[in-house]
Amino acid sequence: MSVAAAARAVVLASPAMNPAPNLVLVGPMGAGKTSIGRRLADRFGLRFVDADHHVERRTGASIAAIFEHVGEAGFREREAAALAELLAGEGLLLATGGGAVLGEANRRLMHARGFVVYLRAGLESQLKRLQRDRARPLLQRPDREQVLRELARVREPLYREVADLVLDTDGLTAAEAAGRLGLQLADRWSMKGVAA
Ligand code: S3P
C-alpha cells in the first residue's frame, strides 16, 4: 500500500486518533523548528505558532529587548506563560524556543498537552544555519561554538526526556526534514486533505 493510501485508510478508520491535542517541536537553535514546523502545519491542517513570536506579540518587545531589559530569567517567565496559554488550546503546531525545556513545569505541560518531536541538530549544522543570525541574544558573542556546545550538554537530556519522537535534521533541508517527519507522523496523526 502506498504511504498516501495507508494514511487515508487510517483517517477513514479512526478520524479522531491523534495522540495529543497539539504537536510540539523542541530542539536547539538552528534545528529548523520554525521552518520545518510551518511546512508540517500545512500538511496536517494545524495552526502554526512560534512561541517566541507569541512572547513578542504579548510583550510588545523583541526577544533581544526582553533579554536586555529583564534578563534571561524575565524572558523565561514570559516564555512559560506563553506555553501555558498556547497549550491550553488544541490544533496547534507549536515551535518552542531552544530553552523552553529547561523548566520542569514546561516539560510536564508539553508532555500532557502535546505530541512532542525533538528536532536534533549537530553543532556543525547549527553553526552553518545560524551563521547570519544577529538576533538571538545568547549567540551575540565571539565564542558561539562554545556556547552551543555547553547549551547542548545541559539540554540534550531534557529534549530526549520530553520527546515522543526524535528526528535528526543533519544534512537535511527544511523541506526534506518536514517530508520525513510527515511520513513518520502519518500513522499517528490524522491528516487533512490526503491526496486521492
Ligand atoms: C533560546 C532560543 C531562541 C529564543 C531565545 C533563547 C535558547 O529560540 O527562545 O533566544 O535559550 O536556546 P530558537 O530556538 O527558536 O532560536
Side-chain angles (χ1 to χ4, degrees):
M1 198 189 302
S2 73
V3 171
R8 190 168 53 244
V10 167
V11 172
L12 292 175
S14 50
M17 62 162 298
N18 289 346
N22 301 289
L23 198 52
V24 178
L25 302 183
V26 299
M29 294 180 269
K33 298 181 296 285
T34 302
S35 43
I36 295 169
R38 280 189 198 287
R39 290 175 163 83
L40 210 61
D42 258 11
R43 177 166 178 171
F44 285 93
L46 296 165
R47 186 163 72 86
F48 177 79
V49 181
D50 179 295
D52 281 348
H53 294 164
H54 190 80
V55 168
E56 289 180 326
R57 272 196 305 275
R58 279 275 178 272
T59 317
S62 68
I63 300 296
I66 297 171
F67 266 74
E68 194 182 326
H69 293 288
V70 293
E72 182 171 349
F75 168 71
R76 295 292 168 213
E77 281 171 26
R78 288 158 180 78
E79 180 178 53
L83 294 175
E85 184 187 339
L86 291 166
L87 287 173
E90 57 185 16
L92 292 191
L93 197 159
L94 179 63
T96 62
V101 293
L102 290 171
E104 198 198 330
N106 292 348
R107 296 199 300 280
R108 255 187 279 121
L109 186 66
M110 288 181 208
H111 185 69
R113 299 287 304 163
F115 184 87
V116 183
V117 178
Y118 166 27
L119 297 179
R120 203 204 74 83
L123 191 59
E124 255 181 52
S125 317
Q126 284 182 276
L127 286 168
K128 199 164 147 203
R129 293 174 189 156
L130 294 165
Q131 65 189 350
R132 278 189 293 276
D133 179 80
R134 298 286 171 269
R136 289 172 175 86
L138 297 177
L139 294 184
Q140 306 320 305
R141 33 192 293 174
D143 56 344
R144 270 188 177 196
E145 186 169 340
Q146 195 47 41
V147 170
L148 289 172
R149 202 188 299 280
E150 178 56 19
L151 291 178
R153 190 185 65 74
V154 173
R155 296 172 178 183
E156 161 83 14
L158 303 177
Y159 295 135
R160 293 209 178 261
E161 178 195 312
V162 77
D164 294 297
L165 184 71
V166 181
L167 181 83
D168 194 335
T169 67
D170 279 353
L172 301 179
T173 63
E176 287 165 348
R180 201 169 286 191
L181 191 51
L183 286 179
Q184 292 188 21
L185 286 170
D187 60 349
R188 308 175 204 219
W189 206 278
S190 63
M191 298 160 85
K192 72 149 194 207
V194 178

